[in-house]
Amino acid sequence: MSESTPERPAMWTADAKDVAAEAANELKYRSGADSYDAVVVLGSGWAGAVESLGQPDIELEIAELPGFVPPGAIGHAPTVRSMWVGAKRIAVFMGRTHLYEGYDAMQVAHAVRTGIAAGAGTVLLTGSAGSLRADFAVGQPVVVRDHINLTGTSPLAGPDFVDLSNAYTPWLRQTAHETDGSLTTGVYAALPGPQFQTPAELSMLRTAGADLVGHSIALETIAAAEMGADVLAIAMVSNDAMSGLFGGADYDRALGVVQQRAWHLGALLNGILMRT
């Protein structure tokens, strides 16, 4: 990787896409796939969703693919699984890297870029999130309709601008609601972590219009939008974030909430992909 200068960062968007193309070629070669129809990124606690998501084909260590670093966060696996959902071939990343692990935005978005470079026109992002609304129950999946990127960074660097007005594809959100009529929607606030928010920060986020708060999804969505892919994001409410106003947050308990519901979440993703 080249060194950054005041005139140019260490990696521009075009450079990141070149590395993703190399990784995509290696992924296709190792899996025997000509192309992929969709890419899925599983968030904290979602790994068990793969069991009901589709028919497994082959699983690879992502560290063996160019540009990848294995995730280190609890609840994330360092593998990518090639799967079939009906007649669609899907690349499922069993975990993700985060800013709070010391990686930059380009690395955080690398899995999504790789999947798209491998042919995927549809991106399904998942994650866990704290709820900022009294009517969102713990254990409830929420379709993300928009985000507030408060990470202070972007997976884009260069002279080209990207329109994010429909970053979360309307027809995919509609497909999700047709698959499960009980789904609701919300605005996701992305922060760098790893710390949970202070009571004052939570109040500010709620006032700003956020319904959910987490440490992922936004940067991957930006990268996918730049590459012209359709994006659907689903966040599982793992905890009542506003409880931080009255007591401490418990990461292990929040992770357990998602893990207990992972099989049903995989079935939801399967239903959505079957309709696309």
Side-chain angles (χ1 to χ4, degrees):
M1 183 182 295
S2 61
E3 294 184 1
S4 62
T5 68
E7 293 78 26
R8 178 185 173 117
M11 181 177 284
W12 274 10
T13 303
D15 301 323
K17 290 161 74 172
D18 286 343
V19 177
E22 295 177 16
N25 288 335
E26 185 69 11
L27 172 62
K28 290 188 292 183
Y29 172 75
R30 288 177 175 244
S31 65
D34 294 326
S35 183
Y36 284 88
D37 298 290
V39 56
V40 177
V41 180
L42 297 179
S44 299
W46 280 73
V50 76
E51 302 305 326
S52 53
L53 176 54
Q55 182 67 33
D57 185 11
I58 188 171
E59 188 167 322
L60 306 169
E61 295 289 328
I62 61 169
E64 298 176 0
L65 304 178
F68 277 94
V69 290
I74 297 173
H76 294 263
T79 57
V80 55
R81 185 178 294 191
S82 181
M83 305 189 71
W84 291 98
V85 177
K88 299 180 178 69
R89 194 153 198 170
I90 313 297
V92 183
F93 288 90
M94 305 284 286
R96 59 158 56 91
T97 54
H98 301 82
L99 293 174
Y100 62 72
E101 297 175 71
Y103 302 116
D104 63 26
M106 296 296 188
Q107 291 169 305
V108 168
H110 185 53
V112 164
R113 283 193 168 112
T114 296
I116 297 171
T122 300
V123 175
L124 268 62
L125 302 173
T126 71
S128 61
S131 169
L132 297 169
R133 287 177 47 168
D135 58 338
F136 282 5
V138 171
Q140 176 181 3
V142 178
V143 175
V144 177
R145 62 178 174 84
D146 206 346
H147 73 238
I148 303 172
N149 179 16
L150 297 174
T151 65
T153 188
S154 170
L156 308 180
D160 299 323
F161 292 90
V162 177
D163 179 15
L164 295 180
S165 57
N166 278 310
Y168 297 92
T169 308
W171 73 263
L172 271 175
R173 287 188 277 132
Q174 179 61 35
T175 299
H177 290 298
E178 291 171 356
T179 304
D180 182 348
S182 69
L183 289 173
T184 188
T185 62
V187 175
Y188 181 99
L191 284 86
Q195 72 279 357
F196 290 106
Q197 289 63 54
T198 68
E201 289 169 337
L202 292 169
S203 294
M204 179 273 292
L205 291 171
R206 188 167 61 173
T207 301
D211 304 303
L212 303 162
V213 59
H215 302 138
S216 60
I217 292 179
L219 299 182
E220 294 158 316
T221 296
I222 294 168
E226 189 277 331
M227 292 185 73
D230 292 313
V231 178
L232 175 70
I234 298 177
M236 162 66 77
V237 176
S238 59
N239 61 291
D240 178 4
M242 297 307 291
S243 65
L245 295 173
F246 313 104
D250 187 330
Y251 179 80
D252 290 336
R253 184 169 57 187
L255 184 65
V257 167
V258 184
Q259 291 172 331
Q260 291 169 9
R261 292 162 175 77
W263 194 94
H264 298 287
L265 295 171
L268 171 62
L269 297 179
N270 174 279
I272 293 169
L273 286 166
M274 291 293 288
R275 288 173 176 264
T276 61

